[in-house]
Amino acid sequence: MKLSQNFSLRELTKSQTAERKGISNEPTEEHIENLKLLCTKILQPIRDEWGVVSISSGYRSQALCEAIGSKITSQHAQGRAADFECYGLDNNKLFNWAIENVEFDQAILEFYTGDPDSGWLHMSYNEDNNRGETLRAFRENNKVVYQKI
């Protein structure tokens, strides 16, 4: 099933952990509608500008969230978020372009160290309430810290 011109449902639901552990990662119709909005409003415009977008994590079922230690209230569990990068493009440059050019709820530059290949972006879209929140995530004293930008 196509979610937008260049993104498929399979691409946004594929999980090696789910496959390895035999966990169902099938979204509901509501989650699929949220994924369509995420793709058309955020991922497709980024793809149109920068080329291939590599999704490392999209939709996560409740069971998958529990298996990887993620909160079941995560926007991933609602089909509203994806973690991604564009190989060959500095993730900080991608982050700055995205926050200036697409409507979003959250944009998080995760674990970027200054090395162009480090980290990835987490972006979410919420049709009812896009906050435009921008954050950086990094590890400090073995804890993940989120800092507002």
Side-chain angles (χ1 to χ4, degrees), residues 1 3 7-21 23-27 35 54-61 64 68 76 81-83:
M1 165 190 282
L3 299 172
F7 291 94
S8 69
L9 181 61
R10 174 74 177 131
E11 193 173 2
L12 272 290
T13 59
K14 182 173 175 56
S15 165
Q16 292 176 351
T17 300
E19 290 175 11
R20 188 172 46 254
K21 295 185 176 229
I23 297 169
S24 173
N25 198 38
E26 294 298 317
L35 286 166
S54 178
I55 309 292
S56 57
S57 183
Y59 173 75
R60 299 177 192 153
S61 66
L64 181 56
I68 65 170
H76 287 275
D83 298 342

Side-chain angles (χ1 to χ4, degrees), residues 1-107:
M1 165 190 282
K2 285 279 199 185
L3 299 172
S4 71
Q5 180 181 351
N6 295 105
F7 291 94
S8 69
L9 181 61
R10 174 74 177 131
E11 193 173 2
L12 272 290
T13 59
K14 182 173 175 56
S15 165
Q16 292 176 351
T17 300
E19 290 175 11
R20 188 172 46 254
K21 295 185 176 229
I23 297 169
S24 173
N25 198 38
E26 294 298 317
T28 66
E29 286 301 318
E30 179 183 350
H31 297 148
I32 291 171
E33 290 306 311
N34 289 341
L35 286 166
K36 286 179 182 177
L37 286 169
L38 175 68
C39 287
T40 58
K41 300 292 188 176
I42 294 178
L43 298 175
Q44 190 63 51
I46 290 171
R47 164 77 162 70
D48 293 344
E49 180 69 21
W50 299 105
V52 175
V53 175
S54 178
I55 309 292
S56 57
S57 183
Y59 173 75
R60 299 177 192 153
S61 66
Q62 181 175 339
L64 181 56
C65 285
E66 291 169 348
I68 65 170
S70 177
K71 295 179 181 177
I72 61 172
T73 56
S74 162
Q75 289 185 310
H76 287 275
Q78 300 166 23
R80 290 188 169 139
D83 298 342
F84 61 92
E85 59 186 312
C86 297
Y87 293 122
L89 179 64
D90 184 309
N91 284 314
N92 190 55
K93 181 176 182 176
L94 177 59
F95 176 80
N96 288 324
W97 184 90
I99 64 175
E100 293 295 324
N101 291 281
V102 299
E103 185 181 353
F104 61 92
D105 180 43
Q106 269 191 328

